[in-house]
Amino acid sequence: MTVRQRRYSKEELARRGQELYETSIRQQVEAGNEGKIVAIDIETGDFEVDENIVPATNQLFERHPDAQPWVIRIGHRAVDHFGARSLKKTP
């Protein structure tokens, strides 16, 4: 089993990942992939798209064993949400 080391702070990882997504990846993946996960290597800019986090990051690690991945759900602000939320307003 490979032990991977993070080389960036959480803040730097998020900043670089979000910047790559907004500037070069979003327009390539958004059409037809809403709700899927994109795993982005913040060092190379390479990415993988899948239905779930683990397969997306594993595919990225197959191409770049030392990748520094950032993940985002396509078409959403976050990968997951916590807590209850109601889609219908009750009177």
Side-chain angles (χ1 to χ4, degrees), residues 4 7 11 20-21 25 31 34 39 46 49 51 58 63 65 71 75-77 82 88 91:
R4 295 182 174 90
R7 293 186 294 277
E11 295 80 14
L20 282 165
Y21 182 72
I25 297 170
E34 180 154 350
D46 287 345
V49 176
E51 296 288 334
N58 282 345
R63 290 177 45 208
V71 295
H76 298 268
R77 292 187 319 223
F82 297 95
K88 276 176 41 177

Side-chain angles (χ1 to χ4, degrees), residues 30-63:
E30 250 185 14
N33 288 312
E34 180 154 350
K36 292 184 180 178
I37 297 292
V38 60
I40 304 164
D41 180 3
I42 65 160
E43 293 182 325
T44 66
D46 287 345
F47 62 91
E48 292 289 339
V49 176
D50 201 280
E51 296 288 334
N52 297 297
I53 295 171
V54 173
T57 54
N58 282 345
Q59 291 168 35
L60 190 60
F61 285 134
E62 284 177 18
R63 290 177 45 208

Side-chain angles (χ1 to χ4, degrees), residues 5 13 27 31 36 39 67 75 78-79 83 88:
Q5 298 294 317
L13 189 70
Q27 60 270 23
K36 292 184 180 178
V79 172
K88 276 176 41 177

